[in-house]
Amino acid sequence: MVRWEPGTRERLQAAALELFTERGFEQTTAADIAAAVGVSERTFFRHFPDKREVLFDGQSRLVDAVVEGLRAAPADAPALDVVAAGLRAGAELFPDDLRAWARLRRAVIAEHPALLERERHKMAGLARTMRAALVARGTSEPAATLAAESGSTVFTVAFGQWIAEGEHRSLAELQTAVLDDLRSLTGTASDRGTA
Amino acid sequence: MVRWEPGTRERLQAAALELFTERGFEQTTAADIAAAVGVSERTFFRHFPDKREVLFDGQSRLVDAVVEGLRAAPADAPALDVVAAGLRAGAELFPDDLRAWARLRRAVIAEHPALLERERHKMAGLARTMRAALVARGTSEPAATLAAESGSTVFTVAFGQWIAEGEHRSLAELQTAVLDDLRSLTGTASDRGTA
DNA sequence: TCTAGTGATGACAGCCGCTGACATGAGATC
DNA sequence: GATCTCATGTCAGCGGCTGTCATCACTAGA
C-alpha cells in the first residue's frame, strides 16, 4: 500500500486554480486547498513557500528555456536580436493547447493585486536573468538592462495578445510583431520632431 | 490639551525606516514601529494598508508629476519624447539633497525580496498610468505600452545611477543619458535636440 | 451654553499565513 | 532485517491584518 499518492504538488496546483476560480483567491485558505487534495496545510507550505506561489510554478522552466535561447544566439548579434532569440525559445513552452489554461490563470491573477504583484516580480526575475546572460556574452551596461527589460515587456505584451479571445497566431509570431513595434517606436519612426 | 500629536503618519514612516535599517525588515514588527511612535499597532494599520507600504508612500506624488509632464508635452511629439517629458517632470521631485535618504531606503529594500516585489509593483503602476496618459493623448497600442514600460525602465536605471556612490549628475541628466542609450540600442542613433 | 456630531485613536477578539520542532511509517539500500 | 530516507502528520505559536465598539478633544449649530 502506498503511503502517499504521487504528484501532490501538481494536484495542489490544480485544486488551487479551481478553488481560486470558484471562490476567489482571498476566500480560499491554504488549508482549503490542502483539504481538497487530502493533505495537511503544513504539506501545502512544504511544496510552496507561500500561498501565491502555487500559481507561479514552472516559471523557472521558462527562464531556463529563454537563457538557453540567448546563449545559442550568434556571438556577434545585437543585444535585442539575442533577446529575441531567447524569447523564441521561451515561446516553445506555450503550444496553442495551453491557451485555455493560461486564460483561466490570467483571470484569477487579474482580479487580485497581490497576484499581479507576484507576476510582475516573476517577470522582473526573467529580465534580471536575461540581463545577466547578456552581460556574460559581453553586452555592456546599461544596454544589457535595457534590452532585457524591453524583452520582458515584449513577452508580457505578446502573451497578453496570445490569450486574447479570438487570437489565432502563435506566441512566437506575436512576439516578433511586438518586437517590430518596439523597434519602430524607438528608432526611425520616432526620431523626428524631437524638440 | 491636544489629544493626539499631528504628523503621526510621517513619524511612523521615519521610525520604520530607522528600525528597518537597524534590525532589518522582518525583525521589526508593525507593533514595534507603532510603539516607537507611541501609538497602537491598530493605528499603524489605519495609516498604511500593510507593513511594506510604510516605505512606499509618496509614490502617488511621483505619478502625478509624471502625468502632468506627459500632458504638457507637445501634441505632435513622438510617444517616447512625451514619456521623456514626463520623466523630466518627475525628476524634479528628487533634488540632490534627497540622495542620502534615497540611499538608505534603497539599502533596506534591496535586502528584502518582499520589498523589492512591492517596488516593482509601484514602478508597474507608474508604467500603467503613463500608458493610460499616452492613450488619452492618442497614442495607439502597443506603442503606448512599450513606450510607458520603456520609460519606467529608464527611470529605474537612472535612479539607480543617481544614488550610486560618487555620482554627481542630476537625476534629469541621467535620465536623458539612459534614454539615449535606449534609442541607440533599438535602432537608429539618436539625434536629439531636447532642451 | 447646551447638544449633537466628527475624526483620530485605543482596546480587544479573532482569522489566517506561515514556521519550527518532533513524530511516523513505507519504500529503498545494504 | 537493520538502517536510512524523506514526504507527510501533528501541534504550538508568532505576526500581519481586520472588524467592532468605546473614547474624548474639538467643532458647529441651536
Side-chain angles (χ1 to χ4, degrees):
Chain A
M1 179 191 175
V2 196
R3 172 102 196 253
W4 355 271
E5 301 295 326
T8 301
R9 182 186 193 80
E10 289 72 20
R11 285 185 295 137
L12 282 170
Q13 295 178 72
L17 182 55
E18 191 177 332
L19 289 172
F20 290 165
T21 301
E22 281 175 13
R23 325 180 187 166
F25 176 73
E26 284 161 6
Q27 284 65 46
T28 305
T29 69
D32 289 338
I33 303 168
V37 169
V39 299
S40 68
E41 183 191 14
R42 192 67 183 85
T43 291
F44 176 92
F45 285 111
R46 282 202 182 94
H47 282 281
F48 306 100
D50 64 60
K51 187 181 153 190
R52 303 183 226 172
E53 202 62 18
V54 71
L55 280 179
F56 293 92
D57 203 54
Q59 179 78 7
S60 63
R61 285 193 311 141
L62 172 61
V63 172
D64 291 347
V66 170
V67 167
E68 190 51 40
L70 283 181
R71 272 201 257 271
D76 60 345
L80 208 54
D81 292 345
V82 176
V83 166
L87 294 185
R88 270 196 302 277
E92 292 178 13
L93 296 182
F94 298 94
D96 284 348
D97 57 3
L98 281 185
R99 267 184 166 123
W101 167 81
R103 264 197 275 266
L104 210 58
R105 184 172 161 280
R106 167 62 59 101
V108 171
I109 293 173
E111 284 197 8
H112 301 277
L115 293 173
L116 284 168
E117 191 170 359
R118 176 58 53 86
E119 182 161 73
R120 278 283 176 180
H121 191 62
K122 291 290 180 179
M123 290 312 295
L126 175 61
R128 193 166 48 249
T129 308
M130 286 196 287
R131 176 182 141 262
L134 285 171
V135 168
R137 286 174 51 106
T139 305
S140 61
E141 288 288 15
T145 294
L146 293 168
E149 292 289 340
S150 298
S152 150
T153 302
V154 167
F155 182 88
T156 299
V157 171
F159 198 86
Q161 294 178 351
W162 184 64
I163 64 176
E165 217 63 50
E167 177 60 54
H168 60 279
R169 286 167 290 178
S170 72
L171 180 55
E173 285 177 272
L174 291 164
Q175 283 174 350
T176 301
V178 174
L179 202 55
D180 281 348
D181 285 332
L182 175 65
R183 288 184 203 274
S184 62
L185 176 75
T186 55
T188 53
S190 72
D191 65 354
R192 209 142 315 281
T194 310
Chain B
M1 177 189 175
V2 196
R3 172 104 196 250
W4 356 271
E5 302 294 327
T8 300
R9 184 187 191 79
E10 290 72 19
R11 285 184 295 136
L12 282 169
Q13 295 179 71
L17 181 55
E18 191 176 332
L19 289 172
F20 290 165
T21 301
E22 281 175 13
R23 326 178 186 168
F25 176 73
E26 285 162 6
Q27 283 66 48
T28 306
T29 69
D32 289 339
I33 303 168
V37 169
V39 299
S40 69
E41 181 191 14
R42 191 68 183 84
T43 292
F44 177 92
F45 285 110
R46 282 204 182 90
H47 282 282
F48 306 100
D50 65 59
K51 186 182 153 190
R52 305 181 224 173
E53 202 61 20
V54 70
L55 279 179
F56 293 91
D57 202 53
Q59 180 78 7
S60 63
R61 286 193 309 140
L62 172 61
V63 171
D64 292 346
V66 170
V67 167
E68 191 51 40
L70 283 181
R71 272 200 257 270
D76 60 344
L80 207 55
D81 292 342
V82 175
V83 167
L87 293 185
R88 271 196 301 278
E92 290 177 13
L93 296 181
F94 298 94
D96 284 349
D97 58 2
L98 280 185
R99 267 183 166 126
W101 167 82
R103 265 198 275 264
L104 210 56
R105 184 171 162 281
R106 167 62 60 100
V108 171
I109 293 173
E111 284 197 7
H112 302 278
L115 294 173
L116 284 168
E117 191 170 358
R118 177 58 53 85
E119 182 160 72
R120 279 284 175 179
H121 191 61
K122 291 291 180 177
M123 290 312 295
L126 174 61
R128 191 166 49 249
T129 309
M130 285 195 287
R131 175 181 142 263
L134 284 171
V135 168
R137 286 175 50 106
T139 304
S140 60
E141 289 288 14
T145 295
L146 293 167
E149 292 288 340
S150 298
S152 149
T153 302
V154 167
F155 183 88
T156 299
V157 171
F159 199 87
Q161 294 178 351
W162 184 63
I163 64 177
E165 217 62 51
E167 178 59 55
H168 60 279
R169 286 167 290 178
S170 72
L171 180 55
E173 286 177 272
L174 291 163
Q175 283 174 349
T176 301
V178 174
L179 202 56
D180 278 347
D181 284 331
L182 175 66
R183 289 185 201 273
S184 61
L185 176 74
T186 53
T188 56
S190 63
D191 180 22
R192 352 194 25 248
T194 316

